[in-house]
């Protein structure tokens, strides 16, 4: 094994050093810390002590040679067996700089000389709706095409319905909320590659736990302990273990969110609203129960603030309360998935080759197949299943990493 | 004031540890195994060790960059500092800071910037909190002769005196601020005179005598704990190496260095212990052997420790993430 | 709910936080016996005593450093720069020590620096500046600037309870001119969240502090011309609420960023860059910045009026944008 001797950097701005005098000859023995060579830099003349004991095998640069900092100037071979010295030549990993965001250049946006310029929004809308911009009349400054010009252009033809049929039809005007829901639903189906996977979950352990605690919790904390907080907690944990399910698709890459904000769908008459539990993974069962109930109440009282419905990373929808067993929920864009909870009913199941009655529920996960594949999604959902089925039996130890600095961090 | 045998041995241990450790760091620097710069306290160890050992366990220090003896005396290990010099994850700051820029709130050692004397007002604030909360703890701050020219030095001394807080100001007067000698920095003879302008009791002590420094700071702590406010201890010494290990310091007259070499604080203490029968030559050799072992274990630990990941750079900007 | 002035909201926040946490204390010049140059801390000295409402010597750098030291020991100091202009004396302690303590060595530094900023009070160069731009580029700091009494109280409480150094810029022109309903029970306004103070569909005005009221005035005028302006009050300048900004810009596709610091190097540049970098495809017009003139703050009234952004500046820019 041989050890390299390098030209050291004696001072931040120093870039090179000059060999003044070798104090040891090639082939001679050296001991650790014995002065090997005299060097000179802009700032200081000094001696370099030998990093190891051994024989000075090779001198690579001679007297009066100037070499850059970090260059190898000699090699020492160690004679003692058992002392394995690894090459200590400075391993400086040059950071890989990411190429800057590529500006989206589509063929349609290449401008020839003399052609009209279009704003980014106008180009995008034209792409999306398949409008030939040359056919649109612009009313902006200098004949510019504006967003409004495109809306005017794309108004669909109104078909007149024969009278008898129209007498048997009723038109319910679209509220803004309904329009937004419709737009979002269609956008979601059109963009995400929806696939739904279902697992059957035995809720008996949770039911027992809940039965034991719910009165104490209601009395002591003023909180109604339903099945939902358990499911939210299990979901938050599973999202932490499967970060791909807590992400969004973007053309620049899959954006994995390092925070877990779970939206809980609440049905309000003709509208669907999704208030968000922020940082759900940092809350305990009671806190989740309290927060989800408070948000649901605020939703019913129409007291939700903008921040209450923004910034979710995943959604849970509980259609089981209206009796549905299975569902194929629509992902709320731009999430990677949505978890649907079916009705929790007693069912006969087979355990150890015998029939038992257990409280069962079907949990359905619709996921965006662009972001994740089935195996990954199933791993996530089966993670939730494991946590729910094993409630109260396992205790988790949070690993503590040894970092070497004491106190606050 | 008397001094206990265990305090004497403790002072000696940290003097010797600081000297041996900084010598090793310097050797590694010359072999290119340490990144960045190295600033040692060679010849000035008695000041850092003296003041840090004079404080109680729950006191707090706001040191500066030439205080290796103080970091070690407060309990930051050579392992963690060696790892920090090598930029490793197991270093005192996990790679966030390098070389002497340590800080560990659990050991009462405040982190400090490179801007000298910024730590002085911070120490006053620490002492103010002790006063407001009715604690008998003391805060100590240290800076060099150079730092005493900065505005923060004066603002801190003034506030400490007006508010009468339990702070001990220590000054390492090693006669040079980089290449600037005292006579180009100030018109006064003794930096302790500055304290008088703020009505702060001050002492000038031999910075190469660890016992003198220790006792002076102990007296200052007593004053502070009794509610009598701040003190200023000027420690006169000599900077034996350059400002940093890449500074040849040719501007320092050789005779001055030769003179002060004779007053080496580590040797001085060794002689004191031997001639007062506090320790035998055998005891001292044993202590030294133990120290060398500690340092080589620290080196091995640091070499084997992993570097942090690049993305770790994003951690810790905020204590409360938004 | 109680109708409270912007100034009283700040006073009440300080009083309430000091009452329920004995580690909260104040430092600043003339804040104790005198009650503060603007009377914000009136009555607190009598209530909490000289060691919780500390009259400091004229040492901004010194007492900022002292606040940092006390905060490292777990206290929660709220210090006052008598005028935001004097924060430059404390610049070193803020950016060198406070901003970097937690990152470099895990030293949590929960200080709040209150700084009355802004012009329109015939103050001249050193009593009217808006210095927030000097600190935007310093990771580790948080910067907030409320525009109304509700946010003033809630944000100050949140800043005091936050574990990071927060620069709290209160606008001196708004002190007694703006009143609003403020809850009597405890509440906070989250740091890092903007707020839509006026909904609209044609243009977005992104702004903060006193300029919010300028934007509201402009929006009223524009309404009469059939232009619907949406106003986003940033409330927190660092870190910026990108979500809040983007969701409004995506709606209208036309943006004006309105701020009171000199135009060059102010927050407008940062927001404009973020918009064009992240949501370029939603823009139907260039992003417009309206800042104060690139000069020190002049004294004589016609000159100061020329210097500051006004409602008519916003109206003119909005008309052009809508027609673009």
């Amino acid at each position: 094994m041989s050890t390299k001797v390098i030209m050291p950097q004696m001072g931040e701005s120093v870039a090179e050093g000059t060999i003044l005098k070798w104090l040891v000859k090639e082939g001679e023995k050296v001991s650790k810390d014995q002065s090997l060579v005299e060097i000179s830099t802009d700032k200081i003349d000094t001696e370099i002590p030998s990093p190891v004991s051994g024989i000075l095998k090779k001198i690579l640069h001679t007297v009066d040679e100037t070499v850059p900092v970090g260059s190898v100037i000699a090699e020492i071979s160690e004679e003692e067996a058992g002392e394995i010295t690894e090459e200590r030549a400075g391993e400086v990993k040059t950071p890989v700089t990411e190429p800057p965001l590529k500006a989206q250049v589509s063929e349609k946006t290449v401008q020839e000389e003399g052609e009209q310029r279009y704003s980014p929004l106008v180009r995008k809308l034209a792409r999306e709706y398949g409008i030939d911009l040359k056919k649109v009349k612009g009313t902006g400054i200098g004949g510019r095409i504006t967003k409004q010009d495109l809306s005017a252009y794309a108004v669909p033809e109104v078909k007149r319905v024969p009278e008898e049929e129209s007498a048997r039809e009723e038109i319910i005007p679209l509220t803004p909320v309904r329009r937004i829901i419709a737009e979002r639903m269609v956008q979601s189906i059109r963009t995400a590659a929806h696939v739904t996977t279902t697992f059957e979950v035995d809720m008996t352990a949770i039911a027992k736990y809940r039965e034991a605690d719910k009165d104490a919790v209601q009395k002591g904390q003023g909180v109604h302990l339903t099945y939902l907080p358990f499911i939210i907690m299990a979901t938050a944990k599973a999202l932490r273990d499967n970060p791909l399910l807590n992400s969004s698709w973007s053309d620049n890459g899959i954006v994995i969110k390092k925070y877990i904000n779970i939206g809980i769908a609440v049905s309000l008459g003709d509208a669907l609203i999704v208030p968000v539990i922020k940082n759900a993974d940092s809350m305990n069962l009671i806190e989740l129960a309290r927060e989800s109930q408070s948000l649901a109440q605020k939703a019913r009282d129409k007291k939700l603030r903008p921040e209450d419905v923004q910034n979710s990373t995943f959604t849970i929808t509980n259609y089981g309360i209206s009796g549905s067993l299975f569902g194929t929920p629509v992902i709320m864009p731009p999430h990677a998935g949505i978890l649907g909870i079916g009705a929790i009913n007693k069912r006969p199941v087979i355990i150890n080759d015998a029939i038992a009655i257990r409280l069962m529920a079907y949990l359905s996960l619709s996921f965006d197949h662009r972001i994740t594949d089935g195996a990954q999604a199933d791993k996530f959902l089966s993670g939730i299943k494991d946590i729910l089925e094993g409630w109260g039996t396992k205790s988790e130890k949070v690993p503590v990493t040894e970092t070497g600095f004491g106190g606050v961090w | 004031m008397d001094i206990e045998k265990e305090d004497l041995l403790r002072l000696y241990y940290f003097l010797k540890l600081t000297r041996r450790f900084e010598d090793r760091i310097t050797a590694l620097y010359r072999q290119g195994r340490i990144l960045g710069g190295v600033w040692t306290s060679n010849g000035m160890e008695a000041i850092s060790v003296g003041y840090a050992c004079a404080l109680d366990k729950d006191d707090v220090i706001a040191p500066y960059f030439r205080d290796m003896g103080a970091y070690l005396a407060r309990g930051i290990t050579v392992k963690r500092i060696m790892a920090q010099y090598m930029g490793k994850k197991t270093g005192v700051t996990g790679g966030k800071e390098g070389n002497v820029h340590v800080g560990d709130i659990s050991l009462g050692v405040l982190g400090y910037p490179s801007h000298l004397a910024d730590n002085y007002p911070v120490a006053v604030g620490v002492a103010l909190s002790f006063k407001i909360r009715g604690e008998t703890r003391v805060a100590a701050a240290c800076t060099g002769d150079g730092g005493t020219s900065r505005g923060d030095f004066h603002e801190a001394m003034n506030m400490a005196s007006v508010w009468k807080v339990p702070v001990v100001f220590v000054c390492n007067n090693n006669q040079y601020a980089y290449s600037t000698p005292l006579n180009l920095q100030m018109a006064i003879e003794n930096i302790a005179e500055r304290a008088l302008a703020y009505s702060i009791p001050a002492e000038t002590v031999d910075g190469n005598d660890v016992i003198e420094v220790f006792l002076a700071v102990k007296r200052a702590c007593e004053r502070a704990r009794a509610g009598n406010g701040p003190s200023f201890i000027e420690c006169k010494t000599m900077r034996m190496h350059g400002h940093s290990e890449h500074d040849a310091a040719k501007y320092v007259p050789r005779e001055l260095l030769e003179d002060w070499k004779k007053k080496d604080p580590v040797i001085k203490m060794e002689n004191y212990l031997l001639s007062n029968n506090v320790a035998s030559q055998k005891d001292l050799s044993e202590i030294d052997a133990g120290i060398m072992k500690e340092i080589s274990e620290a080196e091995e630990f640091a070499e084997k420790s992993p570097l942090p990941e690049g993305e770790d750079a994003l951690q810790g900007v905020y204590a409360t993430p938004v | 709910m109680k109708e409270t002035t912007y100034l009283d909201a700040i006073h009440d926040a300080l009083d309430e936080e000091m009452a329920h946490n004995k580690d909260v204390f104040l430092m600043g010049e003339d804040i104790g016996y005198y009650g503060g140059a603007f009377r914000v801390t009136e009555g607190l000295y009598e209530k909490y005593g000289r060691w919780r409402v500390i009259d400091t010597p004229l040492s901004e750098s010194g007492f900022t450093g002292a606040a940092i030291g006390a905060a490292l020991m777990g206290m929660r100091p709220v210090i006052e720069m008598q005028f935001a202009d004097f924060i430059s004396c404390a610049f070193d302690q803020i950016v060198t020590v406070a901003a970097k303590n937690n990152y470099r060595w895990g030293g949590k530094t929960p200080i709040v620096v209150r700084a009355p900023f802004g012009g329109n009070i015939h103050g001249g160069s050193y009593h009217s500046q808006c210095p927030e731009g000097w600190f935007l580029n310093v990771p580790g700091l948080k910067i907030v600037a409320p525009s109304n009494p509700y946010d003033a109280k809630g944000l100050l409480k949140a800043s005091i309870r936050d574990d990071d150094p927060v620069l709290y810029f209160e606008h001196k022109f708004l002190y007694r001119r703006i009143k609003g309903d403020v809850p009597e029970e405890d509440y906070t306004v989250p740091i890092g969240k903007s707020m839509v103070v006026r909904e609209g569909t044609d243009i977005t005005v992104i702004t903060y502090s006193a300029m919010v009221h300028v934007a509201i005035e402009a929006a009223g005028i524009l309404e009469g011309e059939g232009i619907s302006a949406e106003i986003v009050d940033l409330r927190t300048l660092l870190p910026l609420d990108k979500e809040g900004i983007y969701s409004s810009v995506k709606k209208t596709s036309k943006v004006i960023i309105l701020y009171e610091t000199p135009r060059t190097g102010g927050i407008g540049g940062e927001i404009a860059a973020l918009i064009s970098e992240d949501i370029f495809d939603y823009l139907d017009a260039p992003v417009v910045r309206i800042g104060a003139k690139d000069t020190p703050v002049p004294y004589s009234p016609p000159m100061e009026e020329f210097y500051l952004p006004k409602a008519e500046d916003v109206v003119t820019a909005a008309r052009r944008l809508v027609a673009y």
Side-chain angles (χ1 to χ4, degrees), chain C residues 107-178:
Chain C
K108 257 201 302 204
T109 305
I111 63 168
V112 176
V113 182
R114 284 181 41 238
F117 75 154
N120 213 356
I121 51 138
H122 314 300
S125 310
Y126 301 118
H127 293 75
S128 319
Q129 287 177 99
C130 291
E132 60 273 22
W134 309 338
F135 298 96
L136 283 174
N137 203 213
V138 182
L141 292 180
K142 290 178 178 160
I143 306 178
V144 301
S147 70
N148 59 77
Y150 180 93
D151 287 341
K153 188 174 185 196
L155 266 181
L156 184 50
K157 280 170 172 267
S159 304
I160 293 172
R161 297 178 195 185
D162 191 286
D163 285 341
D164 292 301
V166 182
L167 305 182
Y168 178 96
F169 288 103
E170 49 197 62
H171 206 290
K172 59 178 89 71
F173 185 77
L174 299 180
Y175 273 153
R176 283 167 234 281
R177 285 182 185 79
I178 301 290

Side-chain angles (χ1 to χ4, degrees), chain B residues 119-134:
Chain B
N119 58 329
Y120 260 48
V122 175
V124 172
V126 171
L128 178 66
S129 81
F130 296 158
K131 178 166 180 148
I132 294 176
R133 284 165 159 174

